[in-house]
Amino acid sequence: MTHLSGPAGTTGGARTPTPSSRLFGTLTDGTKVHIWSLANGGTRLKVLSWGGVVQSLELPDRHGHHADVSAGLDTIEDYATRSPYFGALIGRYGNRVAQGRFTLDGESHQLSVNDGVNSLHGGTQGFDKRVWDVEPFTEGSDVGLHLSRTSVDGEMGYPGTLRVKVTYTLTDRGDWRIDYEATTDRATVVNLTSHVYWNLGGAGTGTVEDHELEIAASRYTPTDAGLIPTGELASVSGTPFDFREAKPIGRDLRTGHPQLLAAQGFDHNWILDKGITAEPEHVATLRDPRSGRTLKIASTEPGLQFYSGNFLDGTLTGTSGRTYRQGDALCLETQHFPDSPNHPSFPSTVLRPGQTYRTTTVHSFGA
């Protein structure tokens, strides 16, 4: 599988200061974790070397007042032991793989299982729980970070040595662009994504049910009781899953639809109408009426996982000093479909030697 996308562009103008870093914490084995700070075009971003985690992302509202719109935690201990993937870079396989098993080229592979009987977001020690090498850069008026690591053959049960490079770029317009790239020495499966929990009103300020969401998708993939796709490509028409026109997230959340009851809310993959594209195209818009902040997402990917924060349970206190409760944040994860290795009819996530995995997602902000 080779996705084509160009590198982060330059727009000229004054050079933006290089990101700065400081020690964030130390893991129990003595490994030091650093936090990187960068800003451009009104957007302020803080990223951990642990898991490529977006610890905070600050945006101005309609009055120019900044707030952190990404749910984050204060200590490396919380990230290492309690975080529900807050802000994390996800791999090798974002979302779920049924029974943690798949067969590729006639060979069966057993993955790390960490979500009941299924494998979720790469297993017990996925990319979100690894320390990444971080290299800052400035390129024209853009600023960013190159994050890289090598996932060895057999890590979490995945075949092949996978060399991964993920680039976070802040443009002079304040856009946050993610470019993913990977190569392998053996046939494997790959599905990388970002797991930011958004609340455009400000992290910890309460429910996102009044946020208005639009998704450019006419179909979605229904799931079984374990949140594994059944293989059906279902129409959103006449269902709570129809976000083709913007509507408040909470409007249809309590309709009693069987899919919502099973997932305790939205936790599904939308099949984007545009399909796989060589360049990022619009897939979703999120708006907070109170602050006026907007988030527009463009991607090369064919799917979008919308998760409405169903399993936030009030046991975590964030950087705001407030607890995160059910529905206090949401995720919009650009991706290939969940459990694709076990569904030949889904877009392939297979990567082979000699190919390069490339995907791009761009987050554009406004108020």
Side-chain angles (χ1 to χ4, degrees):
M1 173 187 59
T2 304
H3 305 308
L4 303 176
S5 60
T10 58
T11 56
R15 181 169 292 277
T16 304
T18 301
S20 61
S21 70
R22 62 174 175 81
L23 183 67
F24 181 72
T26 304
L27 299 172
T28 55
D29 65 359
T31 301
K32 296 184 183 301
V33 174
H34 291 84
I35 186 167
W36 290 83
S37 300
L38 54 160
N40 207 4
T43 301
R44 304 167 184 166
L45 187 64
K46 291 184 178 180
V47 177
L48 303 183
S49 57
W50 167 268
V53 163
V54 172
Q55 196 249 4
S56 71
L57 197 156
E58 296 184 3
L59 301 173
D61 64 9
R62 60 166 61 95
H63 303 296
H65 302 307
H66 275 75
D68 181 8
V69 299
S70 169
L73 301 170
D74 283 318
T75 68
I76 189 58
E77 291 79 14
D78 277 344
Y79 278 109
T81 61
R82 306 176 64 205
S83 174
Y85 305 100
F86 277 168
L89 200 168
I90 301 296
R92 280 191 196 190
Y93 200 96
N95 222 301
R96 295 172 175 85
V97 177
Q99 307 289 315
R101 297 179 193 147
F102 69 94
T103 299
L104 179 59
D105 296 339
E107 184 177 353
S108 180
H109 300 278
Q110 178 62 58
L111 307 177
S112 166
V113 171
N114 62 330
D115 182 48
V117 299
N118 303 316
S119 183
L120 175 65
H121 294 330
T124 56
Q125 296 291 316
F127 287 4
D128 61 295
K129 296 179 179 65
R130 308 284 181 168
V131 175
W132 291 67
D133 294 327
V134 182
E135 178 185 354
F137 70 88
T138 57
E139 187 175 321
S141 56
D142 295 343
V143 62
L145 304 171
H146 297 302
L147 299 97
S148 60
R149 72 175 302 265
T150 297
S151 175
V152 299
D153 183 30
E155 184 177 277
M156 296 293 100
Y158 287 91
T161 296
L162 192 76
R163 289 179 168 81
V164 185
K165 180 181 178 181
V166 179
T167 301
Y168 291 170
T169 303
L170 282 186
T171 73
D172 60 353
R173 295 173 50 189
D175 293 351
W176 174 39
R177 173 175 175 137
I178 312 176
D179 290 285
Y180 304 88
E181 183 176 320
T183 59
T184 185
D185 62 0
R186 181 183 173 193
T188 190
V189 295
V190 188
N191 188 29
L192 307 181
T193 191
S194 173
H195 211 292
V196 169
Y197 281 71
W198 301 100
N199 184 327
L200 296 183
T205 59
T207 183
V208 294
E209 289 189 19
D210 57 351
H211 279 36
E212 296 168 354
L213 177 63
E214 171 261 326
I215 303 175
S218 303
R219 296 178 296 167
Y220 76 106
T221 51
T223 61
D224 63 18
L227 303 184
I228 299 292
T230 62
E232 180 186 3
L233 310 180
S235 172
V236 301
S237 182
T239 77
F241 296 86
D242 192 347
F243 284 90
R244 289 174 293 182
E245 294 186 4
K247 66 178 180 180
I249 289 166
R251 176 179 294 175
D252 299 322
L253 195 58
R254 294 171 178 81
T255 57
H257 191 284
Q259 285 288 306
L260 296 181
L261 292 175
Q264 300 182 38
F266 294 105
D267 192 3
H268 296 77
N269 169 66
W270 270 254
I271 303 167
L272 299 171
D273 290 340
K274 71 173 189 64
I276 298 172
T277 50
E279 295 295 331
E281 294 186 11
H282 173 76
V283 299
T285 299
L286 182 69
R287 177 178 179 269
D288 171 37
R290 290 174 295 168
S291 68
R293 294 186 184 94
T294 59
L295 162 63
K296 293 184 178 181
I297 299 177
S299 183
T300 58
E301 289 281 59
L304 179 75
Q305 186 83 9
F306 165 38
Y307 168 58
S308 55
N310 316 332
F311 303 113
L312 298 176
D313 59 6
T315 60
L316 280 175
T317 300
T319 51
S320 65
R322 300 175 176 141
T323 59
Y324 299 119
R325 302 188 63 85
Q326 186 179 52
D328 280 354
L330 63 91
C331 301
L332 296 167
E333 305 155 65
T334 54
Q335 61 177 13
H336 269 53
F337 304 170
D339 201 33
S340 289
N342 295 310
H343 292 274
S345 63
F346 288 0
S348 176
T349 54
V350 175
L351 179 70
R352 298 186 181 278
Q355 296 179 328
T356 300
Y357 171 99
R358 289 191 182 97
T359 76
T360 297
T361 294
V362 181
H363 307 79
S364 300
F365 307 106

